[in-house]
Amino acid sequence: MPTVDDILEHIGEFNFFQKQTFFLLALLSAAFTPIYVGIVFLAFTPDHRCLSPGVAELSRRCGWSLAEELNYTAPGPGAAGEASPHQCRRYEVDWNQSALSCADPLAGLAANRSHLPLGPCRHGWVYETPGSSIVTEFNLVCASSWMLDLFQSAVNVGFFIGSVGIGYIADRFGRKLCLLVTILINAASGLLLAISPNYTWVLIFRLIQGLVSKAGWLIGYILITEFVGLSYRRTVGIVYQMAFTVGLLALVGVAYVLPHWRWLQLTVSLPNVFFLLYYWCIPESPRWLISQNKNAKAMRIIKHIAKKNGKSLPTSLQSLRPDEEADEKLNPSFLDLVRTPQIRKHTLILMYNWFTSSVLYQGLIMHMGLAGSNFYLDFFYSALVEFPAALLIILTIDRLGRRYPWAASNMVAGVACLASVFIPDDLQWLRVTVACLGRMGITMAYEMVCLVNAELYPTFIRNLGVLVCSSMCDIGGIITPFLVYRLTNVWHELPLLVFAVIGLVAGVLVLLLPETKGKALPETIDEAENMQRYVCEGLRLSAVHITSSGSPFEEGRQTCVRLEGCTRE
């Protein structure tokens, strides 16, 4: 009996139906962007100073400019590398007293300003921004700045938990139902986040978004790779992730037009409401139906695909069998990932590279939001380089192999971060150029770890290996906000120095892995331990198509959101 792949060769591997479905799911991929990297615009931290009652009235009476007001009433700059004292401290002075002069209001209180007592910002802050963010509305600065880190870490905790559970849910209840449920919850939590009355509710809805958004992105990836033929799966998987990059470009434009975070959150959440219409547009995966012994339903969907593609289904192909014959199943164990020396080495290196990709990808974006220049334009430029990054992967992996382009991309990202530390601020064009190279490098590395991970494990632990290793990208996403925002308080360029070391180490470690180009996917632990001996001449394998004894869900398990982005999972 024929498999789904056999039938698709006759009714179209990537014809009208697949193209239409791909377009609809690509919109879903693009809409994931604001959740993965939206913190740059939703929670930007503008320059700020303590609000001191009476200062505004004194400034109006004396006719001061803003610069003069700061000079006369706010603490001066601190030591090199420290945050400006006026951001978190204020003079303990009663600015309403009439004895204060306009020439130098503090002269009569102390001979030296350094002798005046400083206190915390008891009355709030003044923010230098025409818009608003979560930071400005809930005062997530100074002693409360850690709450901003927690805001982004919450969504990554949701990514981690949601991704762990998505395998069971998608295999047990089906792709379509799971997709629609995640879309509904994502839409509701996104809209409720936009009207949240306080920080606690913002954090709760952000966590809920994390639980379902990455899962929805993964299901979209699974569906499109299950609808297309074998020869298109790798390319479609990469282009699906490129749709995330399109979402980055759209996010910049929307954020520029809507500088107030509540309106921005509302706007980027509304598309998820319209995605509920996919109930009538996207059918269930026939591969999943076959795996559940629902062959009649699967055949009705296949006939629908044939009709959409303008093809007829031969009678000889109207009976189905699973894509893989059922054979003896082995029970995978976490110990299998570290029991033997080569697989143990693969596991540790892959875990570190997933972690590196997440930390550098999200970290570079967050650090860009703190640069103080035109970060809308910088963000736009750095997002554009993700297109050539994906193109380079498509052009190189079957010509140069996986290992060298992967190692080079990590090293380019690390060197770019290191170079950025030493580029002076007045050479802004050079800083932007080097930042774009770093972004392109880490984007390629992210794509490559997604593709290679599944090629290094034997069949019966391949699904488990990809799940365990890719979970490190969510762990990286949890700690990245703390890494960026806390280290920036010590020295603005310190996060880049840390990123450089992490990226360069990742590049060196990749060289310790075997080349998988032209090699058959290992079926046993012995084959994985001796991969260099099993070369299939003339064969070009697709890392997106995982041939194993598990369910078709494995084809999407290897991709960690990029944010998106732990996919842009």
Side-chain angles (χ1 to χ4, degrees):
M1 290 188 293
T3 66
V4 174
D5 284 322
D6 296 330
I7 295 175
L8 287 176
E9 289 180 3
H10 288 80
I11 66 174
E13 291 186 294
F14 194 66
N15 285 26
F16 178 78
F17 170 81
Q18 287 91 347
K19 291 174 182 176
Q20 180 188 61
T21 303
F22 175 77
F23 174 76
L24 294 175
L25 293 174
L27 294 178
L28 185 72
S29 179
F32 177 59
T33 302
I35 300 172
Y36 195 66
V37 298
I39 185 174
V40 176
F41 303 107
L42 293 171
F44 67 90
T45 304
D47 192 19
H48 52 280
R49 64 183 187 275
C50 291
L51 174 63
S52 298
V55 167
E57 178 59 32
L58 180 62
S59 180
R60 282 193 296 269
R61 178 166 63 84
C62 295
W64 291 335
S65 65
L66 178 60
E68 290 173 324
E69 178 184 324
L70 290 174
N71 182 49
Y72 290 141
T73 65
E82 294 182 0
S84 297
H86 71 266
Q87 292 184 336
C88 299
R89 308 282 284 175
R90 58 181 287 272
Y91 288 123
E92 295 285 7
V93 172
D94 180 8
W95 296 101
N96 292 306
Q97 55 184 299
S98 58
L100 298 176
S101 68
C102 292
D104 190 354
L106 297 178
L109 301 177
N112 190 326
R113 288 190 181 188
S114 62
H115 297 156
L116 288 172
L118 295 176
C121 302
R122 296 189 182 90
H123 304 285
W125 286 263
V126 177
Y127 297 95
E128 303 295 334
T129 176
S132 67
S133 74
I134 293 170
V135 171
T136 63
E137 181 165 335
F138 301 115
N139 290 325
L140 307 184
V141 292
C142 299
S144 299
S145 58
W146 63 271
M147 298 170 75
L148 171 59
D149 308 351
L150 187 61
F151 172 75
Q152 182 63 10
S153 294
V155 76
N156 281 281
V157 170
F159 290 163
F160 179 76
I161 298 173
S163 297
V164 169
I166 187 59
Y168 172 78
I169 296 172
D171 283 344
R172 176 67 177 83
F173 300 104
R175 312 327 191 200
K176 181 176 179 178
L177 175 62
C178 196
L179 178 69
L180 293 171
V181 170
T182 57
I183 289 173
L184 175 63
I185 297 175
N186 192 21
S189 58
L191 295 174
L192 290 171
L193 194 156
I195 59 174
S196 298
N198 53 52
Y199 173 79
T200 301
W201 283 109
V202 166
L203 198 64
I204 291 172
F205 291 127
R206 183 71 168 168
L207 175 63
I208 294 173
Q209 275 198 308
L211 286 170
V212 296
S213 59
K214 181 182 175 182
W217 189 92
L218 264 177
I219 296 166
Y221 181 92
I222 296 166
L223 273 171
I224 191 57
T225 55
E226 290 184 344
F227 278 131
V228 303
L230 175 61
S231 60
Y232 287 91
R233 283 186 192 153
R234 186 189 62 200
T235 302
V236 163
I238 293 174
V239 177
Y240 178 78
Q241 296 181 63
M242 288 176 64
F244 179 91
T245 305
V246 176
L248 290 174
L249 301 178
L251 177 62
V252 177
V254 175
Y256 182 79
V257 174
L258 299 173
H260 298 278
W261 80 270
R262 289 188 182 274
W263 286 109
L264 176 61
Q265 175 63 33
L266 180 66
T267 302
V268 299
S269 299
L270 284 176
N272 289 288
V273 177
F274 295 101
F275 292 154
L276 292 171
L277 298 176
Y278 286 4
Y279 175 83
W280 292 278
C281 303
I282 298 177
E284 180 57 88
S285 166
R287 297 178 194 271
W288 178 80
L289 290 170
I290 293 170
S291 72
Q292 302 297 306
N293 295 318
K294 299 179 180 180
N295 289 10
K297 290 183 179 180
M299 182 53 63
R300 285 200 296 270
I301 292 173
I302 288 172
K303 290 179 179 179
H304 170 74
I305 295 173
K307 182 179 179 181
K308 281 276 191 177
N309 289 343
K311 306 281 186 176
S312 59
L313 184 63
T315 306
S316 59
L317 296 179
Q318 294 190 19
S319 58
L320 294 166
R321 68 175 172 85
D323 289 333
E324 297 165 10
E325 298 290 349
D327 41 36
E328 184 180 356
K329 300 289 185 70
L330 296 173
N331 293 319
S333 165
F334 286 99
L335 291 178
D336 292 321
L337 300 178
V338 294
R339 181 176 285 120
T340 55
Q342 291 301 313
I343 293 180
R344 179 167 59 246
K345 182 181 73 173
H346 299 169
T347 299
L348 295 176
I349 294 175
L350 287 168
M351 290 174 73
Y352 182 80
N353 270 270
W354 276 106
F355 176 84
T356 297
S357 297
S358 177
V359 169
L360 265 67
Y361 187 85
Q362 293 192 54
L364 288 175
I365 292 176
M366 292 178 192
H367 191 267
M368 183 184 304
L370 300 173
S373 57
N374 188 341
F375 74 92
Y376 291 102
L377 202 56
D378 294 346
F379 192 98
F380 180 81
Y381 289 148
S382 63
L384 281 178
V385 302
E386 293 196 10
F387 291 109
L391 182 61
L392 280 173
I393 292 173
I394 294 173
L395 295 176
T396 59
I397 59 174
D398 285 337
R399 292 173 173 84
L400 303 178
R402 277 76 156 144
R403 186 172 57 166
Y404 291 117
W406 185 11
S409 61
N410 272 312
M411 291 181 180
V412 166
V415 170
C417 290
L418 185 62
S420 297
V421 173
F422 302 102
I423 299 175
D425 292 336
D426 55 347
L427 294 178
Q428 183 62 22
W429 65 271
L430 184 58
R431 291 182 67 89
V432 172
T433 302
V434 172
C436 288
L437 285 175
R439 179 75 169 272
M440 183 168 68
I442 199 57
T443 299
M444 287 187 65
Y446 220 148
E447 298 276 0
M448 292 299 291
V449 70
C450 292
L451 294 174
V452 175
N453 197 153
E455 296 180 325
L456 292 173
Y457 286 109
T459 297
F460 85 100
I461 60 169
R462 185 170 298 132
N463 196 43
L464 179 66
V466 172
L467 173 63
V468 171
C469 293
S470 63
S471 67
M472 290 303 296
C473 81
D474 297 321
I475 301 299
I478 291 170
I479 72 169
T480 298
F482 296 92
L483 189 65
V484 173
Y485 297 127
R486 294 314 105 218
L487 293 184
T488 302
N489 286 341
V490 178
W491 178 36
H492 190 272
E493 310 301 338
L494 185 56
L496 293 178
L497 197 59
V498 174
F499 296 159
V501 174
I502 293 174
L504 291 172
V505 171
V508 173
L509 290 176
V510 166
L511 296 175
L512 302 178
L513 293 174
E515 176 57 64
T516 57
K517 172 197 166 203
K519 295 185 179 181
L521 292 174
E523 297 293 334
T524 66
I525 286 183
D526 182 62
E527 290 180 5
E529 286 290 304
N530 302 277
M531 288 188 65
Q532 68 275 12
R533 299 180 185 176
Y534 301 96
V535 180
C536 187
E537 296 295 337
L539 183 63
R540 295 299 179 260
L541 295 170
S542 169
V544 174
H545 178 59
I546 305 172
T547 54
S548 70
S549 58
S551 72
F553 171 75
E554 294 172 353
E555 297 172 7
R557 180 88 75 175
Q558 62 186 299
T559 300
C560 181
V561 174
R562 214 171 15 113
L563 42 120
E564 112 246 84
C566 147
T567 11
R568 291 51 84 151
E569 268 159 79

